Amino acid sequence: MQSIDKLSLNSYTLPELKELFSEWGEPAYRAKQVYEWLLKGKMPDEMTNISKPLRARLNELTYTGVDIERRLVSPKDGTVKYLFRLHDGNLIEGVLMKYKYGNTLCISTQVGCNMGCAFCASTLSGCVRNLQAGEMLSEVLAVEKDTQKDDGKHRAVTNIVLMGSGEPLDNYDHTVRFLKLVSAAEGINISQRNISVSTCGLADKIRTLPDDGVHVTLSVSLHAPNDEIRSSLMPVNRAYPMHEVLSAAKEYSEKTGRRVVFEYALIRGVNDSAENALELSHRLRNMNCHVNLIPLNTVKERNLCGVSREDAHRFCRRLEELNISATVRREMGSDIEGACGQLRRRVMNEGGVE
Ligand code: SAH
């Protein structure tokens, strides 16, 4: 994987920008002015209250934004799937889902993914590179702007989930930076309460999140009631077995006071039996948690099938009878390849985007 060599201007946190400005002999309030522009997605040349020489200096730093390459709207439920182009030509995906209470934007944190989960399209070609925080912020701002065209009055993006391509905690530094930028009062100001970070279970990284100022909703992709099934689906389970993932999740919940969500994709004949539900309920006893069930989205390249919605509801009822809070996630945008990594993959297989 290519590493991130140079921190882009729009990935700087406010203290870092102040430090840079003090090295340049510029006052701290200037750093704040620039920070406010950057959080609005503005380039140095658009910063009207900043002097030309300072703008020129800022222009020497890299700036990492995204452009909307394609936009697919689901006629079924209004879900919008975005394909973004990065400055180096790489493609990533985002999905805007519309609910009664607001709109949830799902964004990517890496180009591809290295985690190797057996059911996931994002990981089929590995991880090309990490995204910078500024690129993640730019995904949000691009969708906000695109949606404002339809309705200028209301905030378009009210909730964010880091559930697109990539493993956010495998790109820890930039994920934490992004959470600070997107929730900063000076910018788009989306509260951490309205943000979810989804992880395949990098336990040591889960443990350090609260001390790094993160108190978002933590979603853990569990997908199995025991190590045997989990390791067969998720190679990461060999590095961080279930007891470690569960104890890190519990610690996170205790430190932040937040309920942890466990994602569980139901795969026919693999993790969907009554015994699987019973074993799962034992593992999750005494935890402030909720289980999000989703019938697996079949990925052509993989030989794993989802269950019917009726079977998903049956599994859900079993968990509830065992006193585990659970719901079946609404399927959004399945007609426009809403599942993680599917659109990017199809476009790449078609030979790219002209
Ligand atoms: N790497 C992170 C976030 C990205 S994946 C994680 O593992 O959580 C976002 C969610 O989609 C995860 O819960 C993942 O397991 C799930 N997912 C991936 N492929 C899927 C598929 N084919 N069907 C259903 N869920 C899938």
Side-chain angles (χ1 to χ4, degrees):
M1 189 188 11
Q2 294 162 25
S3 60
I4 291 174
D5 40 18
K6 221 168 173 197
L7 188 65
S8 65
L9 175 60
N10 53 337
S11 300
Y12 275 75
T13 60
L14 183 57
E16 288 169 338
L17 213 52
K18 282 184 174 161
E19 202 183 308
L20 177 72
F21 274 45
S22 109
E23 279 167 26
W24 286 356
E26 295 281 349
Y29 76 88
R30 282 255 177 274
K32 188 142 186 289
Q33 287 175 326
V34 168
Y35 184 64
E36 284 171 11
W37 286 117
L38 292 170
L39 291 180
K40 291 191 177 82
K42 300 294 182 195
M43 307 279 284
D45 287 335
E46 299 171 287
M47 301 178 182
T48 48
N49 57 357
I50 302 298
S51 72
K52 278 215 170 123
L54 183 51
R55 283 193 230 165
R57 216 159 176 190
L58 292 171
N59 269 327
E60 282 166 24
L61 298 170
T62 57
Y63 181 95
T64 46
V66 308
D67 291 315
I68 296 173
E69 179 75 42
R70 251 191 218 191
R71 182 185 194 274
L72 294 178
V73 183
S74 158
K76 210 169 72 180
D77 55 27
T79 299
V80 188
K81 179 106 192 188
Y82 288 95
L83 193 66
F84 301 112
R85 179 186 283 275
L86 307 178
H87 67 93
D88 57 4
N90 275 305
L91 300 172
I92 52 164
E93 295 172 38
V95 185
L96 184 70
M97 292 159 285
K98 302 188 172 170
Y99 297 97
K100 275 193 218 88
Y101 58 80
N103 299 329
T104 298
L105 176 64
C106 171
I107 64 161
S108 295
T109 54
Q110 295 180 314
V111 181
C113 183
N114 262 341
M115 297 297 116
C117 298
F119 44 77
C120 184
S122 296
T123 199
L124 287 168
S125 315
C127 181
V128 178
R129 74 166 173 87
N130 281 329
L131 294 192
Q132 295 224 24
E135 292 175 305
M136 299 180 210
L137 181 68
S138 183
E139 292 179 66
V140 179
L141 297 175
V143 171
E144 180 70 29
K145 198 167 154 202
D146 187 54
T147 314
Q148 287 292 341
K149 276 191 236 144
D150 307 333
D151 173 6
K153 289 192 286 292
H154 299 101
R155 166 69 58 78
V157 180
T158 52
N159 298 357
I160 296 176
V161 294
L162 274 60
M163 276 196 192
S165 299
E167 166 49 47
L169 302 188
D170 188 37
N171 183 12
Y172 187 89
D173 175 50
H174 278 269
T175 293
V176 171
R177 269 169 198 284
F178 163 72
L179 295 172
K180 292 194 173 139
L181 300 181
V182 81
S183 61
E186 296 90 343
I188 190 164
N189 194 6
I190 297 178
S191 156
Q192 286 204 33
R193 297 199 76 79
N194 297 334
I195 303 177
S196 294
V197 171
S198 182
T199 176
C200 62
L202 302 183
D204 56 346
K205 301 282 173 40
I206 292 175
R207 288 185 206 279
T208 56
L209 284 171
D211 291 339
D212 287 327
V214 174
H215 46 90
V216 297
T217 300
L218 179 72
S219 272
V220 177
S221 300
L222 204 58
H223 304 320
N226 59 44
D227 283 316
E228 194 190 335
I229 299 178
R230 197 162 192 267
S231 291
S232 75
L233 296 170
M234 304 174 72
V236 68
N237 195 63
R238 290 186 208 117
Y240 299 102
M242 264 178 83
H243 73 270
E244 273 194 44
V245 178
L246 294 175
S247 90
K250 188 162 194 209
E251 193 179 306
Y252 182 88
S253 164
E254 285 164 1
K255 274 193 181 164
T256 59
R258 310 294 317 269
R259 185 173 77 159
V260 173
V261 175
F262 291 106
E263 304 291 332
Y264 196 103
L266 286 158
I267 311 173
R268 203 190 303 152
V270 175
N271 63 3
D272 62 338
S273 70
E275 301 83 78
N276 295 151
L278 181 64
E279 191 174 7
L280 182 63
S281 76
H282 290 317
R283 301 300 296 255
L284 302 184
R285 265 297 145 256
N286 303 322
M287 256 217 206
N288 180 17
C289 70
H290 178 81
V291 177
N292 221 337
L293 297 164
I294 173 165
L296 185 86
N297 251 308
T298 304
V299 177
K300 256 208 327 265
E301 292 85 344
R302 303 290 190 193
N303 208 8
L304 298 167
C305 297
V307 301
S308 66
R309 290 202 68 84
E310 297 81 74
D311 285 345
H313 282 288
R314 193 167 308 131
F315 194 91
C316 187
R317 276 195 303 278
R318 280 202 185 102
L319 286 179
E320 285 172 329
E321 282 157 18
L322 295 160
N323 285 322
I324 300 293
S325 150
T327 40
V328 179
R329 202 201 286 166
R330 254 174 74 195
E331 227 167 342
M332 310 270 292
S334 52
D335 52 336
I336 53 165
E337 295 176 278
C340 200
Q342 288 185 351
L343 177 65
R344 169 173 173 260
R345 197 148 184 89
R346 179 162 67 79
V347 172
M348 281 168 41
N349 288 344
E350 278 169 6
V353 188
E354 286 79 46

PDB file of all heavy atoms in Angstrom, residues 220-235:
ATOM      1  N   VAL A 220     -19.316  -2.672  15.360  1.00  0.00           N
ATOM      2  CA  VAL A 220     -18.320  -3.728  15.160  1.00  0.00           C
ATOM      3  C   VAL A 220     -18.917  -4.784  14.243  1.00  0.00           C
ATOM      4  O   VAL A 220     -20.011  -5.298  14.505  1.00  0.00           O
ATOM      5  CB  VAL A 220     -17.904  -4.355  16.509  1.00  0.00           C
ATOM      6  CG1 VAL A 220     -16.921  -5.501  16.280  1.00  0.00           C
ATOM      7  CG2 VAL A 220     -17.294  -3.310  17.424  1.00  0.00           C
ATOM      8  N   SER A 221     -18.218  -5.087  13.157  1.00  0.00           N
ATOM      9  CA  SER A 221     -18.700  -6.114  12.227  1.00  0.00           C
ATOM     10  C   SER A 221     -18.347  -7.464  12.805  1.00  0.00           C
ATOM     11  O   SER A 221     -17.195  -7.896  12.745  1.00  0.00           O
ATOM     12  CB  SER A 221     -18.040  -5.921  10.856  1.00  0.00           C
ATOM     13  OG  SER A 221     -18.383  -4.650  10.364  1.00  0.00           O
ATOM     14  N   LEU A 222     -19.347  -8.128  13.378  1.00  0.00           N
ATOM     15  CA  LEU A 222     -19.091  -9.381  14.092  1.00  0.00           C
ATOM     16  C   LEU A 222     -19.344 -10.569  13.174  1.00  0.00           C
ATOM     17  O   LEU A 222     -18.470 -11.410  12.983  1.00  0.00           O
ATOM     18  CB  LEU A 222     -19.990  -9.425  15.335  1.00  0.00           C
ATOM     19  CG  LEU A 222     -19.512 -10.296  16.479  1.00  0.00           C
ATOM     20  CD1 LEU A 222     -18.135  -9.876  16.967  1.00  0.00           C
ATOM     21  CD2 LEU A 222     -20.521 -10.240  17.635  1.00  0.00           C
ATOM     22  N   HIS A 223     -20.533 -10.658  12.637  1.00  0.00           N
ATOM     23  CA  HIS A 223     -20.908 -11.638  11.623  1.00  0.00           C
ATOM     24  C   HIS A 223     -20.807 -13.099  12.040  1.00  0.00           C
ATOM     25  O   HIS A 223     -20.936 -13.990  11.194  1.00  0.00           O
ATOM     26  CB  HIS A 223     -20.088 -11.446  10.331  1.00  0.00           C
ATOM     27  CG  HIS A 223     -20.175 -10.077   9.744  1.00  0.00           C
ATOM     28  ND1 HIS A 223     -21.348  -9.352   9.693  1.00  0.00           N
ATOM     29  CD2 HIS A 223     -19.229  -9.270   9.179  1.00  0.00           C
ATOM     30  CE1 HIS A 223     -21.117  -8.181   9.110  1.00  0.00           C
ATOM     31  NE2 HIS A 223     -19.851  -8.097   8.811  1.00  0.00           N
ATOM     32  N   ALA A 224     -20.507 -13.374  13.302  1.00  0.00           N
ATOM     33  CA  ALA A 224     -20.373 -14.777  13.721  1.00  0.00           C
ATOM     34  C   ALA A 224     -20.516 -14.865  15.235  1.00  0.00           C
ATOM     35  O   ALA A 224     -20.223 -13.899  15.937  1.00  0.00           O
ATOM     36  CB  ALA A 224     -19.012 -15.314  13.294  1.00  0.00           C
ATOM     37  N   PRO A 225     -20.955 -16.049  15.715  1.00  0.00           N
ATOM     38  CA  PRO A 225     -21.103 -16.217  17.168  1.00  0.00           C
ATOM     39  C   PRO A 225     -19.871 -16.854  17.810  1.00  0.00           C
ATOM     40  O   PRO A 225     -19.813 -16.959  19.040  1.00  0.00           O
ATOM     41  CB  PRO A 225     -22.302 -17.163  17.275  1.00  0.00           C
ATOM     42  CG  PRO A 225     -22.215 -18.000  16.029  1.00  0.00           C
ATOM     43  CD  PRO A 225     -21.532 -17.180  14.968  1.00  0.00           C
ATOM     44  N   ASN A 226     -18.921 -17.308  17.010  1.00  0.00           N
ATOM     45  CA  ASN A 226     -17.727 -17.950  17.601  1.00  0.00           C
ATOM     46  C   ASN A 226     -16.511 -17.768  16.687  1.00  0.00           C
ATOM     47  O   ASN A 226     -16.639 -17.370  15.523  1.00  0.00           O
ATOM     48  CB  ASN A 226     -17.989 -19.437  17.888  1.00  0.00           C
ATOM     49  CG  ASN A 226     -18.360 -20.202  16.628  1.00  0.00           C
ATOM     50  OD1 ASN A 226     -17.749 -20.035  15.575  1.00  0.00           O
ATOM     51  ND2 ASN A 226     -19.400 -21.032  16.715  1.00  0.00           N
ATOM     52  N   ASP A 227     -15.335 -18.095  17.251  1.00  0.00           N
ATOM     53  CA  ASP A 227     -14.085 -17.880  16.513  1.00  0.00           C
ATOM     54  C   ASP A 227     -13.973 -18.740  15.261  1.00  0.00           C
ATOM     55  O   ASP A 227     -13.414 -18.298  14.256  1.00  0.00           O
ATOM     56  CB  ASP A 227     -12.877 -18.161  17.431  1.00  0.00           C
ATOM     57  CG  ASP A 227     -12.630 -17.006  18.387  1.00  0.00           C
ATOM     58  OD1 ASP A 227     -12.683 -15.846  17.924  1.00  0.00           O
ATOM     59  OD2 ASP A 227     -12.402 -17.248  19.576  1.00  0.00           O
ATOM     60  N   GLU A 228     -14.530 -19.948  15.334  1.00  0.00           N
ATOM     61  CA  GLU A 228     -14.369 -20.847  14.183  1.00  0.00           C
ATOM     62  C   GLU A 228     -15.045 -20.245  12.939  1.00  0.00           C
ATOM     63  O   GLU A 228     -14.426 -20.121  11.876  1.00  0.00           O
ATOM     64  CB  GLU A 228     -14.984 -22.207  14.528  1.00  0.00           C
ATOM     65  CG  GLU A 228     -14.567 -23.293  13.560  1.00  0.00           C
ATOM     66  CD  GLU A 228     -15.379 -24.559  13.778  1.00  0.00           C
ATOM     67  OE1 GLU A 228     -15.893 -24.775  14.900  1.00  0.00           O
ATOM     68  OE2 GLU A 228     -15.520 -25.305  12.803  1.00  0.00           O
ATOM     69  N   ILE A 229     -16.314 -19.839  13.120  1.00  0.00           N
ATOM     70  CA  ILE A 229     -17.038 -19.260  11.969  1.00  0.00           C
ATOM     71  C   ILE A 229     -16.416 -17.907  11.599  1.00  0.00           C
ATOM     72  O   ILE A 229     -16.194 -17.609  10.430  1.00  0.00           O
ATOM     73  CB  ILE A 229     -18.544 -19.082  12.294  1.00  0.00           C
ATOM     74  CG1 ILE A 229     -19.168 -20.443  12.600  1.00  0.00           C
ATOM     75  CG2 ILE A 229     -19.268 -18.395  11.143  1.00  0.00           C
ATOM     76  CD1 ILE A 229     -20.643 -20.383  12.972  1.00  0.00           C
ATOM     77  N   ARG A 230     -16.093 -17.106  12.617  1.00  0.00           N
ATOM     78  CA  ARG A 230     -15.579 -15.753  12.324  1.00  0.00           C
ATOM     79  C   ARG A 230     -14.258 -15.827  11.561  1.00  0.00           C
ATOM     80  O   ARG A 230     -14.043 -15.082  10.600  1.00  0.00           O
ATOM     81  CB  ARG A 230     -15.444 -14.948  13.617  1.00  0.00           C
ATOM     82  CG  ARG A 230     -15.315 -13.453  13.354  1.00  0.00           C
ATOM     83  CD  ARG A 230     -15.611 -12.616  14.582  1.00  0.00           C
ATOM     84  NE  ARG A 230     -15.749 -11.212  14.228  1.00  0.00           N
ATOM     85  CZ  ARG A 230     -14.745 -10.331  14.259  1.00  0.00           C
ATOM     86  NH1 ARG A 230     -13.539 -10.711  14.646  1.00  0.00           N
ATOM     87  NH2 ARG A 230     -14.943  -9.082  13.894  1.00  0.00           N
ATOM     88  N   SER A 231     -13.372 -16.737  11.983  1.00  0.00           N
ATOM     89  CA  SER A 231     -12.077 -16.829  11.288  1.00  0.00           C
ATOM     90  C   SER A 231     -12.249 -17.309   9.852  1.00  0.00           C
ATOM     91  O   SER A 231     -11.459 -16.955   8.978  1.00  0.00           O
ATOM     92  CB  SER A 231     -11.133 -17.788  12.032  1.00  0.00           C
ATOM     93  OG  SER A 231     -10.761 -17.219  13.260  1.00  0.00           O
ATOM     94  N   SER A 232     -13.290 -18.116   9.609  1.00  0.00           N
ATOM     95  CA  SER A 232     -13.485 -18.604   8.240  1.00  0.00           C
ATOM     96  C   SER A 232     -13.986 -17.473   7.329  1.00  0.00           C
ATOM     97  O   SER A 232     -13.818 -17.536   6.111  1.00  0.00           O
ATOM     98  CB  SER A 232     -14.468 -19.778   8.211  1.00  0.00           C
ATOM     99  OG  SER A 232     -15.797 -19.305   8.389  1.00  0.00           O
ATOM    100  N   LEU A 233     -14.592 -16.443   7.914  1.00  0.00           N
ATOM    101  CA  LEU A 233     -15.117 -15.329   7.116  1.00  0.00           C
ATOM    102  C   LEU A 233     -14.190 -14.117   7.121  1.00  0.00           C
ATOM    103  O   LEU A 233     -14.111 -13.370   6.154  1.00  0.00           O
ATOM    104  CB  LEU A 233     -16.480 -14.879   7.679  1.00  0.00           C
ATOM    105  CG  LEU A 233     -17.635 -15.868   7.635  1.00  0.00           C
ATOM    106  CD1 LEU A 233     -18.807 -15.334   8.447  1.00  0.00           C
ATOM    107  CD2 LEU A 233     -18.065 -16.112   6.185  1.00  0.00           C
ATOM    108  N   MET A 234     -13.517 -13.909   8.279  1.00  0.00           N
ATOM    109  CA  MET A 234     -12.754 -12.679   8.481  1.00  0.00           C
ATOM    110  C   MET A 234     -11.345 -13.004   8.977  1.00  0.00           C
ATOM    111  O   MET A 234     -11.154 -13.329  10.151  1.00  0.00           O
ATOM    112  CB  MET A 234     -13.474 -11.787   9.506  1.00  0.00           C
ATOM    113  CG  MET A 234     -14.914 -11.472   9.120  1.00  0.00           C
ATOM    114  SD  MET A 234     -15.802 -10.565  10.396  1.00  0.00           S
ATOM    115  CE  MET A 234     -15.041  -8.950  10.283  1.00  0.00           C
ATOM    116  N   PRO A 235     -10.346 -12.913   8.097  1.00  0.00           N
ATOM    117  CA  PRO A 235      -8.971 -13.232   8.491  1.00  0.00           C
ATOM    118  C   PRO A 235      -8.507 -12.430   9.715  1.00  0.00           C
ATOM    119  O   PRO A 235      -7.691 -12.920  10.500  1.00  0.00           O
ATOM    120  CB  PRO A 235      -8.144 -12.854   7.269  1.00  0.00           C
ATOM    121  CG  PRO A 235      -9.103 -12.791   6.128  1.00  0.00           C
ATOM    122  CD  PRO A 235     -10.464 -12.532   6.679  1.00  0.00           C
TER     123      PRO A 235
END
